[in-house]
Amino acid sequence: MTTKIVIIDDHQLFREGVKRILEFEKSFHVVAEGDDGRDAIELVEKYRPDVVIMDINMPNMNGVEATKKLLEKFPDTQVIILSIHDDETYVQHALQTGASGYLLKEMDADTLVEAVKVVAEGGAYLHPKVTHNLVKEYRRLAAEETSATGGYTQKMEVRRPLHLLTRRECEVLQLLADGKSNRAIGEALFISEKTVKNHVSNILQKMNVNDRTQAVVVAIKNGWVEVK
C-alpha cells in the first residue's frame, strides 16, 4: 500500500532533502510540495494525501494554524509538524490542534521514515528529544501538585519491569526515556539499528501501546525508568 505525502516548507533546499529521503522508501510517494499553510490546504484538497509534513514557522499561514484549518476540512489527514523548537509549549500547541507527529529539524533520516510510517498507520510520533522534555515536564508538574497538597517529593525508586520485559528491553526502554534515537541506542548498547527496532517493536507489543511516546509515558507513571 502506497502512502501519499505532501511536504510543506518555505525552504526549498530543506524540502528537497526531505523528499529525497522519503522517496528511498518504495511505499512512499510524495505527490506535491508547497511553501506555506495556504498551499497545504489547497494541495490536500487536490491530492488527498495520507500524510502532510509541515513546517511550523512559515509566512502567510504558519503550520499550527494550517493544521487546525486543514483538519476541520479533512479530518482523516495525518499531519506531522516540523520545527526547530523542542519547548513543550510548542509541542502541546501543535498536538492540541490535531497534529499526529512532531519532529525536530535535527532529525535523522531513520526518524523521519519511522515517523511517517507510524503516523500513516494512525499512531502518534514525537521526536525522541521532545518526548524526553515532555516527560521531564510531567514529573515537574507532578512534584508541584504533591507540594501543593501538603505532600513531599522524594526520588522515585526505579523498578525495572522484568516481569514484562527482558533485561535488554529494559535498557532500551530507559534509553527511549532519555530521548535517544534508534541510532543512538544502538551505539550505546553496541547493537545494530535493526536490532534496536526489533526491541522497540517487542516493547510496544508487550506494553500494549501504539508508539514509543506512549511506552515512555507508561514507564514513567509506573516508575520503570529514571528521568534524568
Side-chain angles (χ1 to χ4, degrees), residues 39-210:
D39 284 349
I41 296 171
E42 293 177 2
L43 292 173
V44 169
E45 186 167 15
K46 181 176 181 179
Y47 292 98
R48 300 299 172 93
D50 303 295
V51 177
V52 176
I53 300 173
M54 182 151 49
D55 187 16
I56 197 170
N57 293 320
M58 298 181 294
N60 300 321
M61 185 186 295
N62 66 46
V64 172
E65 184 181 356
T67 297
K68 183 177 180 180
K69 292 181 179 295
L70 191 157
L71 293 179
E72 286 174 353
K73 296 183 67 176
F74 310 101
D76 293 333
T77 304
Q78 307 299 322
V79 178
I80 297 174
I81 292 291
L82 296 176
S83 177
I84 60 172
H85 305 290
D86 61 4
D87 184 273
E88 60 271 6
T89 303
Y90 283 90
V91 182
Q92 290 173 358
H93 195 189
L95 298 180
Q96 286 169 357
T97 59
S100 298
Y102 192 101
L103 292 177
L104 299 180
K105 288 193 170 183
E106 63 188 55
M107 65 191 170
D108 57 31
D110 288 342
T111 297
L112 174 61
V113 170
E114 183 179 6
V116 173
K117 288 181 177 179
V118 169
V119 167
E121 293 174 359
Y125 193 99
L126 301 182
H127 190 283
K129 186 176 179 180
V130 169
T131 301
H132 185 55
N133 288 348
L134 285 176
V135 167
K136 289 177 68 176
E137 178 67 5
Y138 168 84
R139 289 294 295 273
R140 184 186 68 79
L141 292 173
E144 286 184 356
E145 182 177 349
T146 300
S147 177
T149 56
Y152 64 94
T153 304
Q154 62 180 7
K155 185 175 178 63
M156 182 181 292
E157 180 184 355
V158 177
R159 304 181 308 277
R160 303 299 181 190
L162 295 173
H163 64 287
L164 184 65
L165 307 177
T166 66
R167 290 187 180 278
R168 177 61 92 187
E169 288 165 354
C170 288
E171 292 175 333
V172 172
L173 183 60
Q174 177 63 62
L175 291 169
L176 289 176
D178 291 343
K180 303 294 186 184
S181 65
N182 286 349
R183 178 177 297 176
I185 293 173
E187 291 173 353
L189 299 179
F190 303 102
I191 57 180
S192 69
E193 284 188 59
K194 182 178 180 181
T195 301
V196 173
K197 290 178 181 179
N198 290 337
H199 284 314
V200 172
S201 295
N202 290 336
I203 290 169
L204 300 187
Q205 183 177 13
K206 290 178 179 180
M207 292 180 65
N208 194 29
V209 294
N210 295 324

Side-chain angles (χ1 to χ4, degrees), residues 8-13 15 34-36 55 57-59 105:
I8 306 295
D9 195 295
D10 58 322
H11 292 95
Q12 185 177 356
L13 286 176
R15 201 168 66 220
D35 292 315
D36 58 33
D55 187 16
N57 293 320
M58 298 181 294
K105 288 193 170 183

